[in-house]
Amino acid sequence: MSRVSAAAFAVPGNLSLPTGGYHYDRCLLDGLRAEGRDVSHIALPASFPFPGPADMGQAVAQLSDIPESRVLLIDGLAFGALDTRALDRIAAPIVALVHHPLAHESGMAESEARRLHALERDNLQRAAHVLVPSGYIKQVLVDEYAVEAERMTVIRPGRPEVRVAQAEAAPEGPPLILSVGLLHPRKGHDVLISALGRIADLDWRAVIVGSPWEEAYDTKLTALISELGSQDRVRLAGRVDQAELDTLYADAHLFALATRFEGYGIVFDEALMRGLPIVSTKAGAVPGTVPDDAGLLVAPDDPAAFAEALRTLLQDRDRHAACSAAARRAGATLPSWTDAAETVGAILDRVAGAQVS
C-alpha cells in the first residue's frame, strides 16, 4: 500500500472570504480531508501579498515550524510574496498553489509589478511542485517565470455545488443580466456598466453581485451608474446569501462578466451548470473555461463590443437558446472536487516520497 502523506495548507487571511481563490482553497482542503488525509490549516497574516516586516516574520516562523515529514502547500497569495531567503530555511517540501501571478493584478504600479514578478519567479524555483487552476496560467508560468512544464499540474476547480432549479415559468419583468464577481477593477464591472449604457434602448435589468473590495471603488461604480442614467436598471447588490444568489441565477437571462484577467473563474462554471449563456472577454483563462458555443467573448476593455454581444443574446432568441443548451451540456461534464483532491493527494504523496528517498 502506498504511503499517504500528511500535509499543511498555508493560506493568508480568513479562509471563509467569499472570493474564487478562497473558495478554491476551502474546497481543496475539504476534499483532501474527506480522503482521510491529515491536512492542517495554517492561517498566515492577512496582509499578504503586501506584508510588513512583522507579518513577514510571523509567516516565516509559522512555515518554519512545519516539520520535514509534512508536505507544505502554500497559497500563491502568500508564496509569491515571501522572502526568498526565508524559503530556504523551511524544512518541509513545498508545493505552491498559484491562482494567478501576483504581478498580473490590475491597477498595480509598474515598479511594484516588476518587484513581485522577480520575487515570485525566484520563489517558484524553490517549489517541489506547482499547482495551477488552468492551462493558461501554466503557460504563463512557463513563458514569464521560467517554471518547467513538467513541474506543474493543472488542477481545474471542481464543479460548484449549486441548486440547479428548472423554472416553471419565465421570470416576470425585463430579462435579467447577472454578473457575479468581487467589486474590484480586475473584474471589469465598469466596462459592463458602460456597455449597459449603450443598450439602453433594449428592455433589460442588471444585478451585479460581489463583495466590496474597497469603498472608494464601490463609490466610483455607483457614480458611473448614475452618470449613465442607469440607476433604476442596474443594482450593485454587494454580497448576498446563497438563497438570494440561487434566486438570481434562476431568474437570469444571461451571465455577464467583463473581466480584465482571470486565472480560471469559478463563476463561469456556476453559470454553465445553470445553462446561462455567457458574455465575457478573451482575457486570461476565460477562452479555455467558457466553451465557444456557450456564449460570446470579446476583447477586454471594449464597452462597445461588450454591448453588441449583450445585444445579440438579448435579441436573438435562437442564438440564446443554442448557447443555453451548450452551457448546460458543458456544465454537466465538469469534474468534481473529489477528482481534484485525488490528483493533488497523489502529488503530495509523490513529493513526500521524493523527500525521504
Side-chain angles (χ1 to χ4, degrees):
M1 184 176 180
S2 61
R3 176 188 178 212
V4 177
S5 60
F9 193 177
V11 182
N14 184 351
L15 194 57
S16 67
L17 287 173
T19 69
Y22 280 98
H23 174 80
Y24 186 113
D25 291 355
R26 287 193 303 274
C27 291
L28 182 56
L29 178 60
D30 289 344
L32 290 169
R33 287 174 171 173
E35 282 196 311
R37 292 180 175 273
D38 174 10
V39 184
S40 59
H41 168 224
I42 310 299
L44 299 176
S47 56
F48 278 92
F50 303 107
D55 282 353
M56 178 68 79
Q58 178 185 329
V60 170
Q62 289 175 281
L63 299 175
S64 298
D65 282 343
I66 306 303
E68 186 178 0
S69 57
R70 281 184 182 267
V71 180
L72 178 55
L73 179 59
I74 308 178
D75 180 88
L77 197 61
F79 180 79
L82 286 167
D83 179 72
T84 304
R85 293 167 299 178
L87 287 177
D88 295 334
R89 301 200 302 268
I90 295 172
I94 296 173
V95 174
L97 169 56
V98 180
H99 299 284
H100 64 80
L102 298 177
H104 281 238
E105 192 60 84
S106 300
M108 187 180 299
E110 184 177 348
S111 59
E112 186 66 2
R114 286 198 302 268
R115 182 189 72 83
L116 284 173
H117 176 273
L119 184 58
E120 192 162 18
R121 180 194 60 210
D122 291 345
N123 288 358
L124 284 166
Q125 300 308 312
R126 269 71 173 178
H129 203 80
V130 180
L131 308 179
V132 293
S134 66
Y136 172 80
I137 294 299
K138 180 178 181 178
Q139 195 59 50
V140 168
L141 295 188
V142 169
D143 294 343
E144 300 179 21
Y145 291 79
V147 182
E148 302 87 346
E150 58 271 18
R151 201 157 51 87
M152 287 187 282
T153 302
V154 176
I155 307 296
R156 179 175 175 143
R159 59 179 173 267
E161 294 183 3
V162 300
R163 182 179 65 83
V164 183
Q166 297 290 337
E168 296 181 0
E172 296 182 1
L176 172 61
I177 298 169
L178 177 63
S179 185
V180 180
L182 182 70
L183 298 187
H184 185 285
R186 177 164 56 88
K187 296 298 183 179
H189 295 309
D190 56 322
V191 177
L192 170 60
I193 293 166
S194 295
L196 291 171
R198 292 170 178 263
I199 57 170
D201 57 303
L202 301 180
D203 194 28
W204 54 264
R205 59 192 175 99
V207 176
I208 299 173
V209 174
S211 297
W213 173 61
E214 63 176 16
E215 185 176 349
Y217 189 66
D218 297 1
T219 302
K220 177 181 177 181
L221 293 178
T222 300
L224 180 59
I225 292 170
S226 296
E227 178 185 331
L228 295 172
S230 303
Q231 59 269 33
D232 294 332
R233 306 176 75 181
V234 180
R235 177 166 72 96
L236 291 181
R239 183 180 181 180
V240 303
D241 61 27
Q242 190 60 50
E244 182 176 353
L245 185 60
D246 286 338
T247 298
L248 288 168
Y249 269 117
D251 290 347
H253 185 72
L254 61 86
F255 181 88
L257 186 65
T259 183
R260 292 182 167 95
F261 182 81
E262 291 292 334
Y264 181 78
I266 293 174
V267 291
F268 295 120
D269 286 348
E270 295 178 346
L272 292 173
M273 290 185 68
R274 291 173 167 98
L276 289 180
I278 294 170
V279 176
S280 190
T281 70
K282 299 175 182 178
V286 179
T289 305
V290 178
D292 291 341
D293 55 356
L296 299 173
L297 304 183
V298 302
D301 276 310
D302 190 339
F306 206 89
E308 284 308 304
L310 292 173
R311 183 181 293 276
T312 296
L313 289 179
L314 286 169
Q315 292 187 313
D316 189 334
R317 293 185 178 182
D318 291 341
R319 185 71 175 272
H320 181 278
C323 287
S324 177
R328 199 174 298 280
R329 287 194 301 269
T333 64
L334 292 171
S336 69
W337 279 110
T338 298
D339 298 328
E342 287 177 353
T343 303
V344 173
I347 292 168
L348 298 178
D349 293 341
R350 188 166 69 245
V351 169
Q355 185 75 1
V356 299
S357 62

